[in-house]
Amino acid sequence: MNSAAPAIRRSYLTPPAPASPFPYHPGSLLSVLDLTVEGVSRLLARATELEKADPLLRDRILQKRRIALLFYESSTRTRTSFELAAKALGADTTLVSSLSSSIEKGESLKDTGLTLRALGAEAIILRHNSSGAPWLLEEATRLPVINAGDGMHEHPTQALLDLRTILTHLRPGVGETGPETLAGVTVTIVGDILHSRVARSNMLLLPRLGARVLLCGPKELLPEQAAGAGIEIVRDFDAALRQSQVVMMLRIQAERLAGMQLDLDEYKASYQLTGQRLAAHAPGAVVLHPGPIIRGMEITAGVADGVQSAILEQVTNGVAIRMAVVERALTAAAQGGRA
Ligand code: CP
């Protein structure tokens, strides 16, 4: 792990990864903090190169390399885009889902990982409901592991594709990105911050590029302790919108509420992004949402489908970013170290 990680890593919202005596694989992407700011810039540039590359040449890059997708939670965007990304580079992929594999019979994460390695997998893309699972899988298999979302902890490739989307809108044509690239940009993340790995990875990434991040939501879903370096809490959604160039809406994660009672009518009155609210307070802001969106809950259909929405651009950007991340996973060792 990166011992020079910023202090926000150690807030209760971003617990440190399990201590381990062994060096992590240089191709792994477990946290956005595995990447230096220069490494982020290189990945963004590579994503663009790969997106523009001739498909017939591109699919020689990882020809016949074997990548396993190991998914313990449902996914549409992440799973599909990783699979398309790997295949676009010529790799063979196999999907192991917890609902149709021996995981259902009680096989552990470690044994599943070792089995995939024995079958020839050279990298594993893991989505798991437990925070920290990718670190355990890497320790067990010593393969490059890509975190495709672990519990309430991190979703690094989502933050990278969100960054690419923001740059496309607010810094078009920018070449290299650095610590000042998003200076003057305020990104407001709204809703169920407590349970959101997407929020956490963005909170760890965007301030390192100069962005100011505002968090907005009710106390139940946004504890005071979430504030940190470059990250402020603004409970009044309209006030937050008035300061924002980007607004990132989040779904309430009903599957993680664990009995928490929320008054949904009150929630919608305070935090739903409506056309009226957007027009009144942030008529020029870019609207993001990692998906899945719940129309009529955190966002209205009109806003989701409206001209300020970049939600489907985020999905498209996922393929380019994940091509670069998958390529890094299988070539980083040969290139001599973690970026
Ligand atoms: N953004 C995201 O992680 O979506 P999926 O759950 O569909 O992969």
Side-chain angles (χ1 to χ4, degrees):
M1 290 301 302
N2 180 359
S3 58
I8 49 174
R9 182 75 199 265
R10 283 175 242 301
S11 80
Y12 96 107
L13 282 172
T14 54
S20 173
F22 76 94
Y24 285 89
H25 192 287
S28 284
L29 182 59
L30 306 178
S31 160
V32 286
L33 295 177
D34 290 343
L35 298 168
T36 61
V37 172
E38 296 76 28
V40 170
S41 183
R42 278 196 294 276
L43 266 182
L44 291 169
R46 188 60 181 152
T48 299
E49 280 173 11
L50 289 168
E51 190 177 54
K52 289 181 179 164
D54 180 342
L56 295 176
L57 298 175
R58 190 173 60 195
D59 79 358
R60 294 182 198 161
I61 294 172
L62 296 180
Q63 204 164 37
K64 292 291 163 200
R65 305 289 297 273
R66 292 181 181 171
I67 298 173
L69 294 105
L70 177 53
F71 275 62
Y72 286 74
E73 277 186 354
S74 307
S75 168
T76 299
R77 283 148 286 268
T78 311
R79 200 190 90 185
T80 309
S81 57
F82 264 121
E83 194 165 348
L84 290 172
K87 283 183 158 60
L89 301 179
D92 288 339
T93 63
T94 186
L95 170 69
V96 176
S97 154
S98 57
L99 289 180
S100 57
S101 67
S102 289
I103 296 166
E104 267 197 318
K105 303 173 195 163
E107 191 161 46
S108 69
L109 174 63
K110 173 177 175 171
D111 288 323
T112 303
L114 292 174
T115 300
L116 291 173
R117 191 182 71 183
L119 287 166
E122 297 172 73
I124 301 177
I125 298 164
L126 176 67
R127 169 165 288 191
H128 203 283
N129 46 320
S130 295
S131 303
W135 281 261
L136 297 178
L137 182 66
E138 206 205 56
E139 186 161 10
T141 63
R142 308 291 168 108
L143 290 176
V145 171
I146 300 171
N147 183 356
D150 63 322
M152 294 157 50
H153 184 216
E154 275 220 54
H155 196 347
T157 56
Q158 178 70 43
L160 290 166
L161 73 88
D162 291 341
L163 173 60
R164 187 175 202 246
T165 310
I166 292 169
L167 292 170
T168 304
H169 282 264
L170 300 183
R171 299 287 183 268
V174 76
E176 286 179 22
T177 51
E180 299 296 324
T181 300
L182 292 179
V185 172
T186 297
V187 179
T188 294
I189 308 178
V190 189
D192 188 357
I193 313 284
L194 178 65
H195 300 109
S196 176
R197 53 198 176 207
V198 174
R200 224 162 321 279
S201 285
N202 273 294
M203 288 157 63
L204 292 169
L205 179 64
L206 296 176
R208 293 166 72 209
L209 294 165
R212 175 176 173 238
V213 174
L214 304 184
L215 304 178
C216 184
K219 281 195 164 49
E220 299 93 312
L221 300 178
L222 172 55
E224 289 294 329
Q225 296 93 321
I231 299 165
E232 299 156 52
I233 293 176
V234 177
R235 302 270 176 205
D236 179 337
F237 189 16
D238 296 345
L241 280 175
R242 285 193 289 274
Q243 303 173 55
S244 303
Q245 287 73 47
V246 179
V247 55
M248 183 183 296
M249 302 305 299
L250 300 175
R251 171 179 76 91
I252 295 176
Q253 298 196 27
E255 69 275 26
R256 299 191 216 276
L257 287 183
M260 186 190 290
Q261 297 298 322
L262 275 179
D263 182 329
L264 294 180
D265 288 332
E266 202 175 289
Y267 182 84
K268 284 197 279 187
S270 299
Y271 299 108
Q272 185 185 65
L273 188 59
T274 63
Q276 196 178 24
R277 186 166 249 153
L278 194 59
H281 303 295
V286 181
V287 175
L288 304 181
H289 193 312
I293 62 174
I294 308 298
R295 290 168 184 255
M297 177 52 70
E298 71 276 6
I299 190 167
T300 61
V303 174
D305 299 332
V307 291
Q308 288 177 247
S309 170
I311 295 171
L312 293 177
E313 286 172 48
Q314 290 173 271
V315 176
T316 304
N317 281 330
V319 180
I321 287 293
R322 287 168 178 138
M323 279 195 284
V325 169
V326 166
E327 180 190 42
R328 174 182 174 274
L330 288 178
T331 58
Q335 289 172 5
R338 209 194 265 287

